[in-house]
Amino acid sequence: MDSPISETYKGWTITVKAESNMCANFSFDITTPDGQSQHVAMGGDNSGRALERAREMIDMELALSEQG
């Protein structure tokens, strides 16, 4: 995978790219609808797992914001 994969999930933008870091082969960035971004260097072994982890993080952030 040479070019990053981008996806919109629940209004957030996920960008996955190949980037080796320790035991992970992919990293990802999640960006809120407001434009705030967070980088996760160890996203997963493959692009699918990195997307899955990004979606899990978004779901957690949304759940926490509903509680507060």
Side-chain angles (χ1 to χ4, degrees):
M1 182 178 95
D2 293 337
S3 59
I5 295 173
S6 288
E7 173 183 295
T8 301
Y9 178 74
K10 297 185 178 181
W12 295 48
T13 303
I14 302 168
T15 304
V16 175
K17 63 181 175 180
E19 180 180 341
S20 293
N21 188 355
M22 299 174 96
C23 61
N25 295 319
F26 289 83
S27 66
F28 63 85
D29 294 290
I30 56 174
T31 305
T32 68
D34 298 344
Q36 297 177 351
S37 186
Q38 180 177 353
H39 178 72
V40 177
M42 294 190 291
D45 294 339
N46 57 55
S47 60
R49 180 62 183 130
L51 276 171
E52 184 179 334
R53 290 187 78 193
R55 291 183 200 119
E56 290 169 357
M57 284 186 66
I58 291 167
D59 288 339
M60 184 175 62
E61 290 288 337
L62 292 173
L64 288 172
S65 70
E66 290 174 2
Q67 291 178 359

